[in-house]
Amino acid sequence: MICPIKGAQPQLIPFNFLQTFVHLYRNDAAILKWITNRTIAATVMNVVLCAAIGAALAPYVVTWRRMMMFGIGLTLLVELTQLTGAWGLYPCAWRKFDVDDLMMNALGVALGWLWMRRRGWVI
């Protein structure tokens, strides 16, 4: 694997994705622009996909604290794997560590868990 000159630099500014939302909103972007924007799609998919993890945890994890510890721990592990070049398997980071991904993943896990617990779909 050949590393890019700077590699994938981590994004450490919380809520950085909101700049894209504001830009599209202020420019009255058409719905197609919203749907095809990679930042919007990644943000939404982080929440949606991790909601499935939270829903799967609901029958096994009863307390809010444990669910958040698991959700944040799992997503932190994924983000750190991206940051380290798969824990040294590759000479450089091949994906970008993004604090926004970490936050949206944790939000998704929490929403999925809450949905299942509130609906009473847990034994």
Side-chain angles (χ1 to χ4, degrees), residues 3-40:
C3 296
I5 294 171
K6 286 191 172 191
Q9 297 299 312
Q11 193 290 108
L12 303 174
I13 303 167
F15 302 105
N16 193 48
F17 67 93
L18 290 177
Q19 291 178 6
T20 303
F21 280 79
V22 170
H23 174 75
L24 291 171
Y25 178 76
R26 285 187 178 160
N27 290 316
D28 291 325
I31 189 72
L32 186 61
K33 289 279 187 188
W34 285 84
I35 293 171
T36 59
N37 184 283
R38 292 182 77 186
T39 301
I40 303 294

Side-chain angles (χ1 to χ4, degrees), residues 1-114:
M1 178 176 168
I2 298 172
C3 296
I5 294 171
K6 286 191 172 191
Q9 297 299 312
Q11 193 290 108
L12 303 174
I13 303 167
F15 302 105
N16 193 48
F17 67 93
L18 290 177
Q19 291 178 6
T20 303
F21 280 79
V22 170
H23 174 75
L24 291 171
Y25 178 76
R26 285 187 178 160
N27 290 316
D28 291 325
I31 189 72
L32 186 61
K33 289 279 187 188
W34 285 84
I35 293 171
T36 59
N37 184 283
R38 292 182 77 186
T39 301
I40 303 294
T43 302
V44 170
M45 290 310 294
N46 280 336
V47 174
V48 171
L49 291 174
C50 288
I53 294 169
L57 281 175
Y60 307 103
V61 180
V62 179
T63 65
W64 174 261
R65 182 177 177 181
R66 284 191 181 183
M67 178 275 307
M68 286 306 295
M69 286 175 29
F70 182 85
I72 291 171
L74 178 65
T75 59
L76 182 60
L77 180 67
V78 169
E79 291 298 317
L80 288 175
T81 300
Q82 293 175 355
L83 180 67
T84 62
W87 303 102
L89 185 60
Y90 299 105
C92 58
W94 52 278
R95 297 268 321 237
K96 181 173 72 169
F97 176 94
D98 192 333
V99 73
D100 289 340
D101 287 353
L102 187 61
M103 293 184 319
M104 293 299 104
N105 292 347
L107 175 65
V109 171
L111 291 175
W113 184 85
L114 273 173

